[in-house]
Amino acid sequence: MKLSQHLDLSEVIRSDMAKRKGISNMPTPEHIENFKKLAENIFEPIRKHFGVPIMISSGYRSKALNTAIGGSLTSQHCSGEAIDIDMDGTTRGVTNKMVFDFIKNKLNFDQLIFEFGTKDAPDWVHVSFESTGKQRKQVLRAIKSGGKTAYQPYA
């Protein structure tokens, strides 16, 4: 099922953990509609700007999958409102930092997270689009502090 011109449902439900543990990772019709909004407002503008396929490392998470990976109880991945993008290691000439900066400077989003990495290169980019249209434009950096993930304003 196509969510948008360049994004298929299979790309956002793919999960090695779900396969290994035999967990269903099929979204509800409402969650699919949320992904369509995210695809049109976030994914497609990124794809169009860079002109190359965009790699999603994490998309939808059923509640069972989210629990299995230790995800946040309020994760927007569980409602079809968030994706993680990881372009590092591809041969497409687009880095995670380039994607992060494009989203931050050009798109309307709910939450954008520079996930770990170094000062200038996130390990991956988390971005969400709130399905009601009320975007917070919250930009954060994820860091490890005392063995736990902490979020601070991105500067």
Side-chain angles (χ1 to χ4, degrees):
M1 166 191 282
K2 294 297 260 181
L3 298 172
S4 66
Q5 182 180 358
H6 296 102
L7 186 61
D8 194 85
L9 179 63
S10 65
E11 295 175 80
V12 298
I13 64 170
R14 181 184 64 244
S15 167
D16 291 338
M17 175 73 81
K19 285 180 189 175
R20 281 195 304 275
K21 295 197 174 261
I23 297 170
S24 173
N25 199 39
M26 285 305 298
T28 67
E30 177 185 352
H31 296 162
I32 290 172
E33 289 305 310
N34 293 346
F35 266 124
K36 287 179 180 178
K37 292 174 186 175
L38 184 146
E40 288 301 326
N41 290 281
I42 303 293
F43 184 87
E44 288 298 332
I46 296 168
R47 174 71 166 77
K48 181 178 179 184
H49 175 75
F50 291 107
V52 299
I54 302 301
M55 305 305 295
I56 296 175
S57 59
S58 181
Y60 183 71
R61 294 184 199 149
S62 65
K63 288 191 189 286
L65 176 59
N66 195 56
T67 299
I69 66 167
S72 166
L73 296 175
T74 59
S75 174
Q76 287 178 290
H77 286 279
C78 297
S79 59
E81 296 176 323
I83 56 174
D84 294 341
I85 297 171
D86 189 358
M87 296 299 291
D88 288 352
T90 68
T91 58
R92 297 187 172 107
V94 177
T95 66
N96 290 340
K97 180 69 162 81
M98 292 165 67
V99 171
F100 179 87
D101 288 341
F102 174 74
I103 295 168
K104 182 172 70 73
N105 296 326
K106 301 291 184 183
L107 300 182
N108 189 24
F109 57 88
D110 187 49
Q111 193 175 62
L112 178 64
I113 305 175
F114 187 107
E115 297 275 3
F116 309 105
T118 64
K119 180 180 184 255
D120 296 319
D123 287 341
W124 69 90
V125 176
H126 169 95
V127 61
S128 66
F129 187 83
E130 219 291 322
S131 60
T132 64
K134 297 178 182 176
Q135 310 309 320
R136 294 176 287 176
K137 296 277 286 191
Q138 184 179 48
V139 183
L140 302 171
R141 178 185 294 270
I143 60 167
K144 285 289 183 190
S145 178
K148 295 184 178 184
T149 300
Y151 297 93
Q152 54 188 220
Y154 178 82

